[in-house]
Amino acid sequence: MSRLIEAGKILDNLSGMLKNMDDYDAVKKVINDMPTAYDVDAVVKQLDEYITKIVGRKSALYQTVMQIVKGGGVDAKTDS
């Protein structure tokens, strides 16, 4: 099973761990060139069309579904 990762956090964690900036730049390029595993905009569009077709209007369910999808399925919590 694949998993989604936050590319920015990886790069932040690698900062200072590599021997030189050329290595960091090479790793950064590889990470940034990776295809997106989950296209939120495409999923939102497809759900919008489907829910509108089935329900006929935007409901509380619609709003909840969109929040979940846009959040990547992760509860919106702040790190404390």
Side-chain angles (χ1 to χ4, degrees):
M1 174 184 235
S2 64
R3 62 190 179 127
L4 302 176
I5 58 172
E6 177 59 46
K9 287 185 180 182
I10 291 173
L11 294 171
D12 288 347
N13 287 329
L14 283 174
S15 181
M17 295 179 72
L18 299 173
K19 293 185 182 202
N20 61 52
M21 280 306 291
D22 289 336
D23 290 341
Y24 177 80
D25 289 341
V27 171
K28 181 178 177 181
K29 180 173 178 4
V30 169
I31 290 171
N32 287 333
D33 288 348
M34 287 287 144
T36 302
Y38 182 80
D39 186 344
V40 174
D41 294 332
V43 173
V44 167
K45 181 179 182 217
Q46 188 175 0
L47 282 172
D48 180 59
E49 292 169 358
Y50 182 76
I51 291 172
T52 302
K53 178 180 172 184
I54 299 300
V55 179
R57 61 184 165 67
K58 304 227 180 354
S59 63
L61 171 63
Y62 172 87
Q63 298 300 328
T64 301
V65 167
M66 292 304 167
Q67 285 178 324
I68 292 168
V69 170
K70 290 177 183 179
V74 179
D75 291 336
K77 296 179 183 175
T78 57
D79 294 329
S80 310

